[in-house]
Amino acid sequence: MKKHQIVLLPGDGIGPEITAVAKSLLTKVSQKHQFELEFNEQPIGGSAIELTGTPLPESTLSACKKSQAVLLAAIGSPKYDDYPREKRPETGLLALRSGLDLFANVRPIKIWSSLIEASSLRKEVVTGVDLIVVRELTGGIYFGKPKGRIKTEKDERAFNTMSYSAYEIDRIAEVAFDLAKARTGKVCSVDKANVLEVSQLWRERIDILADKNRQLEINHLYVDNAAMQLIKDPRQFDVILTGNLFGDILSDEAAMITGSIGMLPSASIGKKGPGLYEPVHGSAPDIAGLDKANPIAMVLSAAMMLRIGLKEEKAADDLENAVNDVLDAGLRTADLMSSSFTEVGCIEMGNELLKCI
Ligand code: IPM
Ligand code: MG
């Protein structure tokens, strides 16, 4: 029997609850489709700080490197807000992305027809939205140097650097272009080339690559305009290609088009080695441990892991269909709830999903 080694990173907040749901579903689809999943659970984020004093222990990173895929739930807690940067949960996640060289973050934004009423935008605007944000993940202002803080007697200054090399731009563009080729062929590259040098280079490289990919329809938008267009007419987009910071912001905005960020999975991939699959949402410390979390983004991330990382397409289809079925049956976690639906907690949602496999 085929065997895949998976590292599970439950992390913080609602992380352990949604991980438990994903794990039992993964086990069930693996039995059905006759492959074996070997789970190795490792600490990251706040839970790793508690255990080891660091947000990404060496043992976690090396287990991830040896695995075939990594499934992460969420990290972060207000408890660490005042900790120095190197001791914060977010630093662990960034170090993991960079340590596995996961430069491409793929965030599909799709409207589930049964959730159309949950969007804060009008039904006519969101019906049929199906786009992908391709966000550069290991460069840009998140990682640029110099960075730091300088304190003088009179004042204090803090700074970060947004920098991209042509190589970094080209390799993320290639990911976006490949995805677009399998879809409608439309790519919108988002930058701030009217103000930033780094964006000027970004735009020049995209134009050079566009010349070599004439079958694609490639346009540019400034990030402020892109933010506006996403709300005004999200259907105009197919693949959105952008840098690390702009992608962070636009993917949260795009998430809200679907009604809840609790629905959105993501995949972070590199040129080789294991990918990292994680929900777009955070650790939701306010509802942690209350059995209120929506496990669907985690389940859909597990489906992306099966499809992209493990090539177990049929098992991935099963998970996605199960999500569709529970939504069609009117089951909703609190984040998606409105009258006429049945509210369920995280555990019950998990059990209902299991019944649909
Ligand atoms: C995300 C998150 C992270 C990011 C944080 C938790 C470091 O917001 O994955 O979008 O900024 O990349
Ligand atoms: Mg974010």
Side-chain angles (χ1 to χ4, degrees):
M1 204 169 7
K2 238 185 311 167
K3 192 165 168 184
H4 307 288
Q5 264 136 7
I6 309 297
V7 169
L8 284 180
L9 305 174
D12 307 324
I14 59 169
E17 300 162 58
I18 61 176
T19 302
V21 170
K23 193 173 169 184
S24 53
L25 281 160
L26 280 168
T27 304
K28 185 138 185 208
V29 288
S30 69
Q31 284 158 357
K32 180 173 163 192
H33 294 283
Q34 295 179 356
F35 55 89
E36 210 177 308
L37 292 176
E38 197 180 283
F39 296 109
N40 174 358
E41 224 168 285
Q42 294 286 332
I44 190 171
S47 55
I49 297 174
E50 298 303 322
L51 279 169
T52 67
T54 139
L56 181 67
E58 194 41 58
S59 48
T60 296
L61 181 59
S62 69
C64 291
K65 281 185 178 161
K66 281 186 228 132
S67 74
Q68 266 142 299
V70 182
L71 183 61
L72 164 76
I75 52 98
S77 155
K79 181 175 168 196
Y80 307 101
D81 283 355
D82 299 326
Y83 278 49
R85 176 131 327 271
E86 70 281 5
K87 285 253 160 81
R88 293 185 51 152
E90 291 78 5
T91 305
L93 177 56
L94 297 183
L96 178 65
R97 289 171 177 171
S98 155
L100 296 176
D101 208 6
L102 305 171
F103 65 89
N105 183 222
V106 177
R107 298 186 161 178
I109 317 277
K110 207 182 94 186
I111 292 279
W112 296 78
S113 53
S114 49
L115 283 185
I116 227 136
E117 309 289 344
S119 175
S120 40
L121 298 182
R122 284 198 317 276
K123 197 172 165 177
E124 316 81 271
V125 178
V126 297
T127 305
V129 166
D130 180 3
L131 62 92
I132 299 188
V133 178
V134 177
R135 167 190 177 194
E136 199 290 327
L137 203 62
T138 50
I141 198 164
Y142 273 54
F143 292 91
K145 290 200 175 110
K147 63 174 182 178
R149 296 172 73 133
I150 297 173
K151 207 169 181 159
T152 61
E153 263 165 34
K154 280 205 218 104
D155 200 4
E156 184 169 14
R157 176 179 298 277
F159 53 95
N160 292 86
T161 302
M162 191 187 279
S163 119
Y164 273 117
S165 67
Y167 167 76
E168 287 174 300
I169 300 166
D170 292 3
R171 69 175 180 175
I172 188 69
E174 208 175 287
V175 172
F177 290 7
D178 284 347
L179 282 169
K181 282 173 194 163
R183 296 168 55 94
T184 67
K186 266 173 67 176
V187 179
C188 176
S189 171
V190 174
D191 61 37
K192 189 69 186 171
N194 51 344
V195 177
L196 304 175
E197 274 71 13
V198 57
S199 284
Q200 265 175 326
L201 177 63
W202 181 282
R203 199 171 271 225
E204 281 165 30
R205 295 307 308 178
I206 302 297
D207 281 339
I208 291 170
L209 297 171
D211 262 353
K212 296 185 188 144
N213 288 277
R214 291 283 175 86
Q215 74 274 41
L216 295 176
E217 190 190 317
I218 298 167
N219 73 320
H220 302 279
L221 281 184
Y222 298 135
V223 63
D224 47 352
N225 187 15
M228 182 173 73
Q229 296 297 334
L230 256 177
I231 294 298
K232 193 174 157 219
D233 177 20
R235 259 180 315 221
Q236 69 184 283
F237 295 105
D238 187 21
V239 173
I240 296 179
L241 161 64
T242 191
N244 207 340
L245 180 63
F246 299 157
D248 179 46
I249 299 167
L250 292 180
S251 60
D252 267 29
E253 188 194 3
M256 270 331 284
I257 298 170
T258 68
S260 172
I261 199 168
M263 295 297 297
L264 294 185
S266 84
S268 303
I269 46 188
K271 285 237 189 276
K272 54 183 189 335
L276 169 66
Y277 301 85
E278 56 173 315
V280 173
H281 64 70
S283 58
D286 53 324
I287 56 164
L290 301 179
D291 192 30
K292 282 194 175 159
N294 180 354
I296 292 180
M298 182 68 172
V299 172
L300 295 174
S301 299
M304 284 188 95
M305 175 181 85
L306 290 169
R307 189 181 306 285
I308 302 171
L310 308 179
K311 309 280 177 257
E312 297 286 357
E313 284 90 359
K314 288 200 180 104
D317 287 344
D318 274 1
L319 289 189
E320 286 162 1
N321 291 336
V323 168
N324 209 28
D325 292 349
V326 292
L327 293 174
D328 278 351
L331 303 176
R332 300 285 186 273
T333 42
D335 55 315
L336 299 171
M337 199 43 202
S338 64
S339 55
S340 80
F341 294 120
T342 311
E343 186 166 339
V344 292
C346 182
I347 295 172
E348 197 179 340
M349 183 59 103
N351 290 338
E352 293 299 327
L353 285 163
L354 274 174
K355 285 188 209 157
C356 297
I357 303 291

